[in-house]
Amino acid sequence: MKMRNVRKYLKEFNGVSITAQRELLMGLIHKSQGHISAKELYKNAVKKNGSISLATVYRNLKLFKELGIIEERRFGNLSCYYELKHANSHQHLVCKCCGTIIEFETPLIQKIIEQVEENYSFNVLKAEIYLEGFCKECNNADNNTVRGYSMS
Amino acid sequence: MKMRNVRKYLKEFNGVSITAQRELLMGLIHKSQGHISAKELYKNAVKKNGSISLATVYRNLKLFKELGIIEERRFGNLSCYYELKHANSHQHLVCKCCGTIIEFETPLIQKIIEQVEENYSFNVLKAEIYLEGFCKECNNADNNTVRGYSMS
DNA sequence: TTAGATGCAAATCATTTGCAATGAA
DNA sequence: TTCATTGCAAATGATTTGCATCTAA
């Protein structure tokens, strides 16, 4: 991502200053083109700026989240994943074996939201579908493992 | 829950012994009739058995999970919630303000699974929908707060 | 008797926070 | 100059683990 665009992003918000760390982190999040954890982001950032701290990564992830630039997701793990907020909402399909994360969309989620708003008088602000299973390749392989554990 | 039923549950598994702590924890999980966190479970357990340890709670939650008796859920928080595995799958609707958790069912989730299995050659083993928003009461109230933060 | 279970304290992992030093506007 | 931001280290909260002791089978 061009520096100019990052600046544009951040400049829209009053009182938020543009620092080298923020530009770096935003650039890396853009490059990740998908989901990245705080630790991965930190590791990548250190390669470019040896003195950046994990605290700065967390603080800025929190800031970007509050500014509505990124979203935070949990995929069963203890740690979170972060991704740029897309215009179009999408859902996640995760392989228990190889960890591949596939994004997909479905108009049915809108139907579900409507049903729930109707039935429970709820004002739904966020809808997430999380599907887990085995992808084609892992399903065929013999030596399946689930996040490091053998499942023979 | 009657002790006999707890024993029946645990006896089905070889090598798993029936301890007072396990009976207590299973009973409390049953009584909770919904979602309970490890900490809440521990607090309730201590009332009946002053010397039970948090480690025992976590170890047994892990065991029950492995035995397929309970399920682990994350609702955006850092900590997990545990619930008995129901025969019928159900989804969750959480109020950002008061924290109420509503369970609901929808046949549309099956449709989504079918679509995904078809489109991505995935073998889907688990499907979770998580909806978040404001319940009727909180939506009407003036002083809405989101998990402790004011949103005036 | 003996493998599995427990309690305790210490360890880990992800995330947050206090504080003094630094840097953007 | 001034207030936001950073790096560092220590704190926190959830969960796990090592170890000596206990207990169900």
mmCIF file with all atom_site columns, all heavy atoms in Angstrom, chain B residues 18 39 55 58-59 79-80, chain D residues 14-19 24-25:
data_model
loop_
_atom_site.group_PDB
_atom_site.id
_atom_site.type_symbol
_atom_site.label_atom_id
_atom_site.label_alt_id
_atom_site.label_comp_id
_atom_site.label_asym_id
_atom_site.label_entity_id
_atom_site.label_seq_id
_atom_site.pdbx_PDB_ins_code
_atom_site.Cartn_x
_atom_site.Cartn_y
_atom_site.Cartn_z
_atom_site.occupancy
_atom_site.B_iso_or_equiv
_atom_site.pdbx_formal_charge
_atom_site.auth_seq_id
_atom_site.auth_comp_id
_atom_site.auth_asym_id
_atom_site.auth_atom_id
_atom_site.pdbx_PDB_model_num
ATOM 1   N N     . ILE B 1 18 ? -14.685 -42.075 38.487 1.00 0.00 ? 18 ILE B N     1
ATOM 2   C CA    . ILE B 1 18 ? -15.719 -41.191 39.006 1.00 0.00 ? 18 ILE B CA    1
ATOM 3   C C     . ILE B 1 18 ? -15.250 -40.623 40.321 1.00 0.00 ? 18 ILE B C     1
ATOM 4   O O     . ILE B 1 18 ? -15.110 -41.345 41.301 1.00 0.00 ? 18 ILE B O     1
ATOM 5   C CB    . ILE B 1 18 ? -17.027 -41.970 39.216 1.00 0.00 ? 18 ILE B CB    1
ATOM 6   C CG1   . ILE B 1 18 ? -17.502 -42.518 37.877 1.00 0.00 ? 18 ILE B CG1   1
ATOM 7   C CG2   . ILE B 1 18 ? -18.085 -41.076 39.846 1.00 0.00 ? 18 ILE B CG2   1
ATOM 8   C CD1   . ILE B 1 18 ? -18.625 -43.518 38.004 1.00 0.00 ? 18 ILE B CD1   1
ATOM 9   N N     . LYS B 1 39 ? -14.686 -19.866 35.407 1.00 0.00 ? 39 LYS B N     1
ATOM 10  C CA    . LYS B 1 39 ? -14.608 -19.164 36.685 1.00 0.00 ? 39 LYS B CA    1
ATOM 11  C C     . LYS B 1 39 ? -15.913 -19.288 37.472 1.00 0.00 ? 39 LYS B C     1
ATOM 12  O O     . LYS B 1 39 ? -15.907 -19.535 38.675 1.00 0.00 ? 39 LYS B O     1
ATOM 13  C CB    . LYS B 1 39 ? -14.305 -17.687 36.434 1.00 0.00 ? 39 LYS B CB    1
ATOM 14  C CG    . LYS B 1 39 ? -13.554 -17.023 37.570 1.00 0.00 ? 39 LYS B CG    1
ATOM 15  C CD    . LYS B 1 39 ? -13.695 -15.526 37.502 1.00 0.00 ? 39 LYS B CD    1
ATOM 16  C CE    . LYS B 1 39 ? -12.391 -14.870 37.069 1.00 0.00 ? 39 LYS B CE    1
ATOM 17  N NZ    . LYS B 1 39 ? -12.540 -13.403 36.910 1.00 0.00 ? 39 LYS B NZ    1
ATOM 18  N N     . ALA B 1 55 ? -7.576  -25.616 38.810 1.00 0.00 ? 55 ALA B N     1
ATOM 19  C CA    . ALA B 1 55 ? -6.922  -26.539 37.879 1.00 0.00 ? 55 ALA B CA    1
ATOM 20  C C     . ALA B 1 55 ? -7.805  -27.752 37.632 1.00 0.00 ? 55 ALA B C     1
ATOM 21  O O     . ALA B 1 55 ? -7.925  -28.238 36.506 1.00 0.00 ? 55 ALA B O     1
ATOM 22  C CB    . ALA B 1 55 ? -5.572  -26.973 38.416 1.00 0.00 ? 55 ALA B CB    1
ATOM 23  N N     . TYR B 1 58 ? -10.563 -26.795 35.227 1.00 0.00 ? 58 TYR B N     1
ATOM 24  C CA    . TYR B 1 58 ? -10.085 -26.731 33.841 1.00 0.00 ? 58 TYR B CA    1
ATOM 25  C C     . TYR B 1 58 ? -9.782  -28.122 33.303 1.00 0.00 ? 58 TYR B C     1
ATOM 26  O O     . TYR B 1 58 ? -10.116 -28.457 32.173 1.00 0.00 ? 58 TYR B O     1
ATOM 27  C CB    . TYR B 1 58 ? -8.845  -25.858 33.744 1.00 0.00 ? 58 TYR B CB    1
ATOM 28  C CG    . TYR B 1 58 ? -9.177  -24.402 33.599 1.00 0.00 ? 58 TYR B CG    1
ATOM 29  C CD1   . TYR B 1 58 ? -8.958  -23.511 34.635 1.00 0.00 ? 58 TYR B CD1   1
ATOM 30  C CD2   . TYR B 1 58 ? -9.725  -23.912 32.419 1.00 0.00 ? 58 TYR B CD2   1
ATOM 31  C CE1   . TYR B 1 58 ? -9.268  -22.169 34.504 1.00 0.00 ? 58 TYR B CE1   1
ATOM 32  C CE2   . TYR B 1 58 ? -10.038 -22.577 32.274 1.00 0.00 ? 58 TYR B CE2   1
ATOM 33  C CZ    . TYR B 1 58 ? -9.809  -21.708 33.322 1.00 0.00 ? 58 TYR B CZ    1
ATOM 34  O OH    . TYR B 1 58 ? -10.124 -20.384 33.172 1.00 0.00 ? 58 TYR B OH    1
ATOM 35  N N     . ARG B 1 59 ? -9.138  -28.956 34.119 1.00 0.00 ? 59 ARG B N     1
ATOM 36  C CA    . ARG B 1 59 ? -8.807  -30.299 33.645 1.00 0.00 ? 59 ARG B CA    1
ATOM 37  C C     . ARG B 1 59 ? -10.058 -31.081 33.302 1.00 0.00 ? 59 ARG B C     1
ATOM 38  O O     . ARG B 1 59 ? -10.109 -31.793 32.308 1.00 0.00 ? 59 ARG B O     1
ATOM 39  C CB    . ARG B 1 59 ? -7.967  -31.028 34.691 1.00 0.00 ? 59 ARG B CB    1
ATOM 40  C CG    . ARG B 1 59 ? -6.482  -30.696 34.561 1.00 0.00 ? 59 ARG B CG    1
ATOM 41  C CD    . ARG B 1 59 ? -5.619  -31.628 35.388 1.00 0.00 ? 59 ARG B CD    1
ATOM 42  N NE    . ARG B 1 59 ? -5.556  -31.171 36.771 1.00 0.00 ? 59 ARG B NE    1
ATOM 43  C CZ    . ARG B 1 59 ? -4.427  -30.880 37.411 1.00 0.00 ? 59 ARG B CZ    1
ATOM 44  N NH1   . ARG B 1 59 ? -3.266  -30.997 36.814 1.00 0.00 ? 59 ARG B NH1   1
ATOM 45  N NH2   . ARG B 1 59 ? -4.442  -30.481 38.666 1.00 0.00 ? 59 ARG B NH2   1
ATOM 46  N N     . SER B 1 79 ? -12.512 -15.213 27.673 1.00 0.00 ? 79 SER B N     1
ATOM 47  C CA    . SER B 1 79 ? -12.782 -16.510 28.279 1.00 0.00 ? 79 SER B CA    1
ATOM 48  C C     . SER B 1 79 ? -13.843 -17.291 27.522 1.00 0.00 ? 79 SER B C     1
ATOM 49  O O     . SER B 1 79 ? -14.625 -16.740 26.764 1.00 0.00 ? 79 SER B O     1
ATOM 50  C CB    . SER B 1 79 ? -13.221 -16.322 29.725 1.00 0.00 ? 79 SER B CB    1
ATOM 51  O OG    . SER B 1 79 ? -14.328 -15.454 29.781 1.00 0.00 ? 79 SER B OG    1
ATOM 52  N N     . CYS B 1 80 ? -13.854 -18.584 27.756 1.00 0.00 ? 80 CYS B N     1
ATOM 53  C CA    . CYS B 1 80 ? -14.787 -19.482 27.079 1.00 0.00 ? 80 CYS B CA    1
ATOM 54  C C     . CYS B 1 80 ? -16.033 -19.716 27.914 1.00 0.00 ? 80 CYS B C     1
ATOM 55  O O     . CYS B 1 80 ? -16.039 -19.525 29.116 1.00 0.00 ? 80 CYS B O     1
ATOM 56  C CB    . CYS B 1 80 ? -14.134 -20.834 26.851 1.00 0.00 ? 80 CYS B CB    1
ATOM 57  S SG    . CYS B 1 80 ? -12.742 -20.773 25.753 1.00 0.00 ? 80 CYS B SG    1
ATOM 58  P P     . DA  D 2 14 ? -10.305 -13.850 33.620 1.00 0.00 ? 14 DA  D P     1
ATOM 59  O OP1   . DA  D 2 14 ? -11.701 -13.618 33.228 1.00 0.00 ? 14 DA  D OP1   1
ATOM 60  O OP2   . DA  D 2 14 ? -9.967  -14.215 35.006 1.00 0.00 ? 14 DA  D OP2   1
ATOM 61  O "O5'" . DA  D 2 14 ? -9.692  -14.964 32.657 1.00 0.00 ? 14 DA  D "O5'" 1
ATOM 62  C "C5'" . DA  D 2 14 ? -9.805  -14.790 31.255 1.00 0.00 ? 14 DA  D "C5'" 1
ATOM 63  C "C4'" . DA  D 2 14 ? -9.121  -15.937 30.562 1.00 0.00 ? 14 DA  D "C4'" 1
ATOM 64  O "O4'" . DA  D 2 14 ? -7.714  -15.898 30.866 1.00 0.00 ? 14 DA  D "O4'" 1
ATOM 65  C "C3'" . DA  D 2 14 ? -9.627  -17.316 30.995 1.00 0.00 ? 14 DA  D "C3'" 1
ATOM 66  O "O3'" . DA  D 2 14 ? -9.841  -18.092 29.810 1.00 0.00 ? 14 DA  D "O3'" 1
ATOM 67  C "C2'" . DA  D 2 14 ? -8.502  -17.871 31.849 1.00 0.00 ? 14 DA  D "C2'" 1
ATOM 68  C "C1'" . DA  D 2 14 ? -7.267  -17.175 31.275 1.00 0.00 ? 14 DA  D "C1'" 1
ATOM 69  N N9    . DA  D 2 14 ? -6.182  -16.967 32.244 1.00 0.00 ? 14 DA  D N9    1
ATOM 70  C C8    . DA  D 2 14 ? -6.281  -16.421 33.490 1.00 0.00 ? 14 DA  D C8    1
ATOM 71  N N7    . DA  D 2 14 ? -5.135  -16.351 34.135 1.00 0.00 ? 14 DA  D N7    1
ATOM 72  C C5    . DA  D 2 14 ? -4.222  -16.882 33.225 1.00 0.00 ? 14 DA  D C5    1
ATOM 73  C C6    . DA  D 2 14 ? -2.836  -17.089 33.311 1.00 0.00 ? 14 DA  D C6    1
ATOM 74  N N6    . DA  D 2 14 ? -2.086  -16.773 34.358 1.00 0.00 ? 14 DA  D N6    1
ATOM 75  N N1    . DA  D 2 14 ? -2.230  -17.644 32.229 1.00 0.00 ? 14 DA  D N1    1
ATOM 76  C C2    . DA  D 2 14 ? -2.976  -17.956 31.167 1.00 0.00 ? 14 DA  D C2    1
ATOM 77  N N3    . DA  D 2 14 ? -4.282  -17.811 30.978 1.00 0.00 ? 14 DA  D N3    1
ATOM 78  C C4    . DA  D 2 14 ? -4.859  -17.260 32.065 1.00 0.00 ? 14 DA  D C4    1
ATOM 79  P P     . DT  D 2 15 ? -10.415 -19.574 29.952 1.00 0.00 ? 15 DT  D P     1
ATOM 80  O OP1   . DT  D 2 15 ? -11.063 -19.865 28.659 1.00 0.00 ? 15 DT  D OP1   1
ATOM 81  O OP2   . DT  D 2 15 ? -11.143 -19.738 31.222 1.00 0.00 ? 15 DT  D OP2   1
ATOM 82  O "O5'" . DT  D 2 15 ? -9.081  -20.442 30.015 1.00 0.00 ? 15 DT  D "O5'" 1
ATOM 83  C "C5'" . DT  D 2 15 ? -8.183  -20.369 28.906 1.00 0.00 ? 15 DT  D "C5'" 1
ATOM 84  C "C4'" . DT  D 2 15 ? -6.921  -21.124 29.235 1.00 0.00 ? 15 DT  D "C4'" 1
ATOM 85  O "O4'" . DT  D 2 15 ? -6.238  -20.510 30.337 1.00 0.00 ? 15 DT  D "O4'" 1
ATOM 86  C "C3'" . DT  D 2 15 ? -7.125  -22.589 29.638 1.00 0.00 ? 15 DT  D "C3'" 1
ATOM 87  O "O3'" . DT  D 2 15 ? -6.525  -23.390 28.626 1.00 0.00 ? 15 DT  D "O3'" 1
ATOM 88  C "C2'" . DT  D 2 15 ? -6.438  -22.715 30.989 1.00 0.00 ? 15 DT  D "C2'" 1
ATOM 89  C "C1'" . DT  D 2 15 ? -5.502  -21.511 30.988 1.00 0.00 ? 15 DT  D "C1'" 1
ATOM 90  N N1    . DT  D 2 15 ? -5.105  -20.992 32.307 1.00 0.00 ? 15 DT  D N1    1
ATOM 91  C C2    . DT  D 2 15 ? -3.751  -20.961 32.606 1.00 0.00 ? 15 DT  D C2    1
ATOM 92  O O2    . DT  D 2 15 ? -2.891  -21.342 31.835 1.00 0.00 ? 15 DT  D O2    1
ATOM 93  N N3    . DT  D 2 15 ? -3.447  -20.465 33.851 1.00 0.00 ? 15 DT  D N3    1
ATOM 94  C C4    . DT  D 2 15 ? -4.334  -20.011 34.811 1.00 0.00 ? 15 DT  D C4    1
ATOM 95  O O4    . DT  D 2 15 ? -3.938  -19.592 35.886 1.00 0.00 ? 15 DT  D O4    1
ATOM 96  C C5    . DT  D 2 15 ? -5.738  -20.063 34.428 1.00 0.00 ? 15 DT  D C5    1
ATOM 97  C C7    . DT  D 2 15 ? -6.774  -19.595 35.385 1.00 0.00 ? 15 DT  D C7    1
ATOM 98  C C6    . DT  D 2 15 ? -6.053  -20.543 33.212 1.00 0.00 ? 15 DT  D C6    1
ATOM 99  P P     . DT  D 2 16 ? -6.381  -24.952 28.743 1.00 0.00 ? 16 DT  D P     1
ATOM 100 O OP1   . DT  D 2 16 ? -6.375  -25.494 27.379 1.00 0.00 ? 16 DT  D OP1   1
ATOM 101 O OP2   . DT  D 2 16 ? -7.344  -25.430 29.745 1.00 0.00 ? 16 DT  D OP2   1
ATOM 102 O "O5'" . DT  D 2 16 ? -4.899  -25.133 29.331 1.00 0.00 ? 16 DT  D "O5'" 1
ATOM 103 C "C5'" . DT  D 2 16 ? -3.848  -24.432 28.702 1.00 0.00 ? 16 DT  D "C5'" 1
ATOM 104 C "C4'" . DT  D 2 16 ? -2.530  -24.836 29.326 1.00 0.00 ? 16 DT  D "C4'" 1
ATOM 105 O "O4'" . DT  D 2 16 ? -2.370  -24.215 30.614 1.00 0.00 ? 16 DT  D "O4'" 1
ATOM 106 C "C3'" . DT  D 2 16 ? -2.362  -26.343 29.552 1.00 0.00 ? 16 DT  D "C3'" 1
ATOM 107 O "O3'" . DT  D 2 16 ? -1.078  -26.670 29.044 1.00 0.00 ? 16 DT  D "O3'" 1
ATOM 108 C "C2'" . DT  D 2 16 ? -2.454  -26.502 31.075 1.00 0.00 ? 16 DT  D "C2'" 1
ATOM 109 C "C1'" . DT  D 2 16 ? -1.921  -25.164 31.555 1.00 0.00 ? 16 DT  D "C1'" 1
ATOM 110 N N1    . DT  D 2 16 ? -2.414  -24.672 32.865 1.00 0.00 ? 16 DT  D N1    1
ATOM 111 C C2    . DT  D 2 16 ? -1.486  -24.238 33.789 1.00 0.00 ? 16 DT  D C2    1
ATOM 112 O O2    . DT  D 2 16 ? -0.293  -24.286 33.613 1.00 0.00 ? 16 DT  D O2    1
ATOM 113 N N3    . DT  D 2 16 ? -2.029  -23.750 34.947 1.00 0.00 ? 16 DT  D N3    1
ATOM 114 C C4    . DT  D 2 16 ? -3.363  -23.645 35.271 1.00 0.00 ? 16 DT  D C4    1
ATOM 115 O O4    . DT  D 2 16 ? -3.721  -23.170 36.339 1.00 0.00 ? 16 DT  D O4    1
ATOM 116 C C5    . DT  D 2 16 ? -4.282  -24.110 34.257 1.00 0.00 ? 16 DT  D C5    1
ATOM 117 C C7    . DT  D 2 16 ? -5.742  -24.042 34.519 1.00 0.00 ? 16 DT  D C7    1
ATOM 118 C C6    . DT  D 2 16 ? -3.774  -24.591 33.121 1.00 0.00 ? 16 DT  D C6    1
ATOM 119 P P     . DT  D 2 17 ? -0.528  -28.144 29.016 1.00 0.00 ? 17 DT  D P     1
ATOM 120 O OP1   . DT  D 2 17 ? 0.279   -28.229 27.793 1.00 0.00 ? 17 DT  D OP1   1
ATOM 121 O OP2   . DT  D 2 17 ? -1.633  -29.080 29.276 1.00 0.00 ? 17 DT  D OP2   1
ATOM 122 O "O5'" . DT  D 2 17 ? 0.474   -28.177 30.257 1.00 0.00 ? 17 DT  D "O5'" 1
ATOM 123 C "C5'" . DT  D 2 17 ? 1.397   -27.120 30.426 1.00 0.00 ? 17 DT  D "C5'" 1
ATOM 124 C "C4'" . DT  D 2 17 ? 2.269   -27.410 31.644 1.00 0.00 ? 17 DT  D "C4'" 1
ATOM 125 O "O4'" . DT  D 2 17 ? 1.630   -26.881 32.829 1.00 0.00 ? 17 DT  D "O4'" 1
ATOM 126 C "C3'" . DT  D 2 17 ? 2.508   -28.901 31.926 1.00 0.00 ? 17 DT  D "C3'" 1
ATOM 127 O "O3'" . DT  D 2 17 ? 3.850   -29.039 32.364 1.00 0.00 ? 17 DT  D "O3'" 1
ATOM 128 C "C2'" . DT  D 2 17 ? 1.522   -29.207 33.045 1.00 0.00 ? 17 DT  D "C2'" 1
ATOM 129 C "C1'" . DT  D 2 17 ? 1.556   -27.889 33.809 1.00 0.00 ? 17 DT  D "C1'" 1
ATOM 130 N N1    . DT  D 2 17 ? 0.361   -27.576 34.619 1.00 0.00 ? 17 DT  D N1    1
ATOM 131 C C2    . DT  D 2 17 ? 0.550   -26.871 35.795 1.00 0.00 ? 17 DT  D C2    1
ATOM 132 O O2    . DT  D 2 17 ? 1.646   -26.524 36.191 1.00 0.00 ? 17 DT  D O2    1
ATOM 133 N N3    . DT  D 2 17 ? -0.594  -26.585 36.488 1.00 0.00 ? 17 DT  D N3    1
ATOM 134 C C4    . DT  D 2 17 ? -1.879  -26.928 36.137 1.00 0.00 ? 17 DT  D C4    1
ATOM 135 O O4    . DT  D 2 17 ? -2.821  -26.604 36.850 1.00 0.00 ? 17 DT  D O4    1
ATOM 136 C C5    . DT  D 2 17 ? -2.009  -27.658 34.900 1.00 0.00 ? 17 DT  D C5    1
ATOM 137 C C7    . DT  D 2 17 ? -3.360  -28.075 34.431 1.00 0.00 ? 17 DT  D C7    1
ATOM 138 C C6    . DT  D 2 17 ? -0.894  -27.941 34.210 1.00 0.00 ? 17 DT  D C6    1
ATOM 139 P P     . DG  D 2 18 ? 4.601   -30.437 32.323 1.00 0.00 ? 18 DG  D P     1
ATOM 140 O OP1   . DG  D 2 18 ? 5.547   -30.384 31.194 1.00 0.00 ? 18 DG  D OP1   1
ATOM 141 O OP2   . DG  D 2 18 ? 3.602   -31.534 32.409 1.00 0.00 ? 18 DG  D OP2   1
ATOM 142 O "O5'" . DG  D 2 18 ? 5.435   -30.404 33.675 1.00 0.00 ? 18 DG  D "O5'" 1
ATOM 143 C "C5'" . DG  D 2 18 ? 6.088   -29.204 34.095 1.00 0.00 ? 18 DG  D "C5'" 1
ATOM 144 C "C4'" . DG  D 2 18 ? 6.574   -29.365 35.525 1.00 0.00 ? 18 DG  D "C4'" 1
ATOM 145 O "O4'" . DG  D 2 18 ? 5.520   -29.003 36.440 1.00 0.00 ? 18 DG  D "O4'" 1
ATOM 146 C "C3'" . DG  D 2 18 ? 6.974   -30.787 35.907 1.00 0.00 ? 18 DG  D "C3'" 1
ATOM 147 O "O3'" . DG  D 2 18 ? 8.030   -30.705 36.866 1.00 0.00 ? 18 DG  D "O3'" 1
ATOM 148 C "C2'" . DG  D 2 18 ? 5.695   -31.363 36.509 1.00 0.00 ? 18 DG  D "C2'" 1
ATOM 149 C "C1'" . DG  D 2 18 ? 5.068   -30.130 37.172 1.00 0.00 ? 18 DG  D "C1'" 1
ATOM 150 N N9    . DG  D 2 18 ? 3.605   -30.096 37.156 1.00 0.00 ? 18 DG  D N9    1
ATOM 151 C C8    . DG  D 2 18 ? 2.762   -30.497 36.151 1.00 0.00 ? 18 DG  D C8    1
ATOM 152 N N7    . DG  D 2 18 ? 1.501   -30.306 36.429 1.00 0.00 ? 18 DG  D N7    1
ATOM 153 C C5    . DG  D 2 18 ? 1.508   -29.737 37.695 1.00 0.00 ? 18 DG  D C5    1
ATOM 154 C C6    . DG  D 2 18 ? 0.437   -29.302 38.519 1.00 0.00 ? 18 DG  D C6    1
ATOM 155 O O6    . DG  D 2 18 ? -0.770  -29.335 38.279 1.00 0.00 ? 18 DG  D O6    1
ATOM 156 N N1    . DG  D 2 18 ? 0.889   -28.789 39.738 1.00 0.00 ? 18 DG  D N1    1
ATOM 157 C C2    . DG  D 2 18 ? 2.210   -28.701 40.102 1.00 0.00 ? 18 DG  D C2    1
ATOM 158 N N2    . DG  D 2 18 ? 2.447   -28.181 41.302 1.00 0.00 ? 18 DG  D N2    1
ATOM 159 N N3    . DG  D 2 18 ? 3.210   -29.094 39.344 1.00 0.00 ? 18 DG  D N3    1
ATOM 160 C C4    . DG  D 2 18 ? 2.792   -29.605 38.155 1.00 0.00 ? 18 DG  D C4    1
ATOM 161 P P     . DC  D 2 19 ? 8.744   -32.053 37.382 1.00 0.00 ? 19 DC  D P     1
ATOM 162 O OP1   . DC  D 2 19 ? 10.161  -31.691 37.585 1.00 0.00 ? 19 DC  D OP1   1
ATOM 163 O OP2   . DC  D 2 19 ? 8.369   -33.221 36.544 1.00 0.00 ? 19 DC  D OP2   1
ATOM 164 O "O5'" . DC  D 2 19 ? 8.072   -32.220 38.820 1.00 0.00 ? 19 DC  D "O5'" 1
ATOM 165 C "C5'" . DC  D 2 19 ? 7.963   -31.099 39.698 1.00 0.00 ? 19 DC  D "C5'" 1
ATOM 166 C "C4'" . DC  D 2 19 ? 7.216   -31.516 40.950 1.00 0.00 ? 19 DC  D "C4'" 1
ATOM 167 O "O4'" . DC  D 2 19 ? 5.796   -31.302 40.761 1.00 0.00 ? 19 DC  D "O4'" 1
ATOM 168 C "C3'" . DC  D 2 19 ? 7.383   -33.001 41.291 1.00 0.00 ? 19 DC  D "C3'" 1
ATOM 169 O "O3'" . DC  D 2 19 ? 7.528   -33.144 42.695 1.00 0.00 ? 19 DC  D "O3'" 1
ATOM 170 C "C2'" . DC  D 2 19 ? 6.072   -33.612 40.828 1.00 0.00 ? 19 DC  D "C2'" 1
ATOM 171 C "C1'" . DC  D 2 19 ? 5.115   -32.474 41.181 1.00 0.00 ? 19 DC  D "C1'" 1
ATOM 172 N N1    . DC  D 2 19 ? 3.815   -32.537 40.485 1.00 0.00 ? 19 DC  D N1    1
ATOM 173 C C2    . DC  D 2 19 ? 2.693   -31.996 41.117 1.00 0.00 ? 19 DC  D C2    1
ATOM 174 O O2    . DC  D 2 19 ? 2.826   -31.472 42.229 1.00 0.00 ? 19 DC  D O2    1
ATOM 175 N N3    . DC  D 2 19 ? 1.489   -32.066 40.509 1.00 0.00 ? 19 DC  D N3    1
ATOM 176 C C4    . DC  D 2 19 ? 1.385   -32.648 39.307 1.00 0.00 ? 19 DC  D C4    1
ATOM 177 N N4    . DC  D 2 19 ? 0.172   -32.686 38.742 1.00 0.00 ? 19 DC  D N4    1
ATOM 178 C C5    . DC  D 2 19 ? 2.519   -33.204 38.644 1.00 0.00 ? 19 DC  D C5    1
ATOM 179 C C6    . DC  D 2 19 ? 3.702   -33.126 39.263 1.00 0.00 ? 19 DC  D C6    1
ATOM 180 P P     . DA  D 2 24 ? -12.225 -42.058 46.332 1.00 0.00 ? 24 DA  D P     1
ATOM 181 O OP1   . DA  D 2 24 ? -12.856 -40.735 46.448 1.00 0.00 ? 24 DA  D OP1   1
ATOM 182 O OP2   . DA  D 2 24 ? -12.336 -43.055 47.415 1.00 0.00 ? 24 DA  D OP2   1
ATOM 183 O "O5'" . DA  D 2 24 ? -12.725 -42.715 44.959 1.00 0.00 ? 24 DA  D "O5'" 1
ATOM 184 C "C5'" . DA  D 2 24 ? -12.511 -42.020 43.734 1.00 0.00 ? 24 DA  D "C5'" 1
ATOM 185 C "C4'" . DA  D 2 24 ? -12.284 -43.027 42.606 1.00 0.00 ? 24 DA  D "C4'" 1
ATOM 186 O "O4'" . DA  D 2 24 ? -10.960 -43.607 42.740 1.00 0.00 ? 24 DA  D "O4'" 1
ATOM 187 C "C3'" . DA  D 2 24 ? -13.254 -44.191 42.574 1.00 0.00 ? 24 DA  D "C3'" 1
ATOM 188 O "O3'" . DA  D 2 24 ? -13.513 -44.492 41.201 1.00 0.00 ? 24 DA  D "O3'" 1
ATOM 189 C "C2'" . DA  D 2 24 ? -12.497 -45.325 43.263 1.00 0.00 ? 24 DA  D "C2'" 1
ATOM 190 C "C1'" . DA  D 2 24 ? -11.037 -45.010 42.910 1.00 0.00 ? 24 DA  D "C1'" 1
ATOM 191 N N9    . DA  D 2 24 ? -10.056 -45.341 43.931 1.00 0.00 ? 24 DA  D N9    1
ATOM 192 C C8    . DA  D 2 24 ? -10.194 -45.220 45.294 1.00 0.00 ? 24 DA  D C8    1
ATOM 193 N N7    . DA  D 2 24 ? -9.107  -45.547 45.973 1.00 0.00 ? 24 DA  D N7    1
ATOM 194 C C5    . DA  D 2 24 ? -8.202  -45.888 44.980 1.00 0.00 ? 24 DA  D C5    1
ATOM 195 C C6    . DA  D 2 24 ? -6.862  -46.332 45.044 1.00 0.00 ? 24 DA  D C6    1
ATOM 196 N N6    . DA  D 2 24 ? -6.182  -46.480 46.176 1.00 0.00 ? 24 DA  D N6    1
ATOM 197 N N1    . DA  D 2 24 ? -6.254  -46.594 43.868 1.00 0.00 ? 24 DA  D N1    1
ATOM 198 C C2    . DA  D 2 24 ? -6.918  -46.436 42.732 1.00 0.00 ? 24 DA  D C2    1
ATOM 199 N N3    . DA  D 2 24 ? -8.173  -46.040 42.552 1.00 0.00 ? 24 DA  D N3    1
ATOM 200 C C4    . DA  D 2 24 ? -8.766  -45.773 43.733 1.00 0.00 ? 24 DA  D C4    1
ATOM 201 P P     . DA  D 2 25 ? -14.480 -45.668 40.811 1.00 0.00 ? 25 DA  D P     1
ATOM 202 O OP1   . DA  D 2 25 ? -15.108 -45.294 39.525 1.00 0.00 ? 25 DA  D OP1   1
ATOM 203 O OP2   . DA  D 2 25 ? -15.321 -45.993 41.979 1.00 0.00 ? 25 DA  D OP2   1
ATOM 204 O "O5'" . DA  D 2 25 ? -13.478 -46.875 40.547 1.00 0.00 ? 25 DA  D "O5'" 1
ATOM 205 C "C5'" . DA  D 2 25 ? -12.631 -46.834 39.393 1.00 0.00 ? 25 DA  D "C5'" 1
ATOM 206 C "C4'" . DA  D 2 25 ? -11.834 -48.128 39.343 1.00 0.00 ? 25 DA  D "C4'" 1
ATOM 207 O "O4'" . DA  D 2 25 ? -10.923 -48.178 40.467 1.00 0.00 ? 25 DA  D "O4'" 1
ATOM 208 C "C3'" . DA  D 2 25 ? -12.689 -49.387 39.432 1.00 0.00 ? 25 DA  D "C3'" 1
ATOM 209 O "O3'" . DA  D 2 25 ? -12.166 -50.387 38.568 1.00 0.00 ? 25 DA  D "O3'" 1
ATOM 210 C "C2'" . DA  D 2 25 ? -12.518 -49.850 40.884 1.00 0.00 ? 25 DA  D "C2'" 1
ATOM 211 C "C1'" . DA  D 2 25 ? -11.068 -49.420 41.121 1.00 0.00 ? 25 DA  D "C1'" 1
ATOM 212 N N9    . DA  D 2 25 ? -10.716 -49.221 42.517 1.00 0.00 ? 25 DA  D N9    1
ATOM 213 C C8    . DA  D 2 25 ? -11.521 -48.842 43.561 1.00 0.00 ? 25 DA  D C8    1
ATOM 214 N N7    . DA  D 2 25 ? -10.903 -48.755 44.707 1.00 0.00 ? 25 DA  D N7    1
ATOM 215 C C5    . DA  D 2 25 ? -9.599  -49.092 44.407 1.00 0.00 ? 25 DA  D C5    1
ATOM 216 C C6    . DA  D 2 25 ? -8.436  -49.180 45.187 1.00 0.00 ? 25 DA  D C6    1
ATOM 217 N N6    . DA  D 2 25 ? -8.411  -48.932 46.498 1.00 0.00 ? 25 DA  D N6    1
ATOM 218 N N1    . DA  D 2 25 ? -7.278  -49.547 44.573 1.00 0.00 ? 25 DA  D N1    1
ATOM 219 C C2    . DA  D 2 25 ? -7.313  -49.784 43.259 1.00 0.00 ? 25 DA  D C2    1
ATOM 220 N N3    . DA  D 2 25 ? -8.348  -49.741 42.415 1.00 0.00 ? 25 DA  D N3    1
ATOM 221 C C4    . DA  D 2 25 ? -9.463  -49.380 43.070 1.00 0.00 ? 25 DA  D C4    1
#
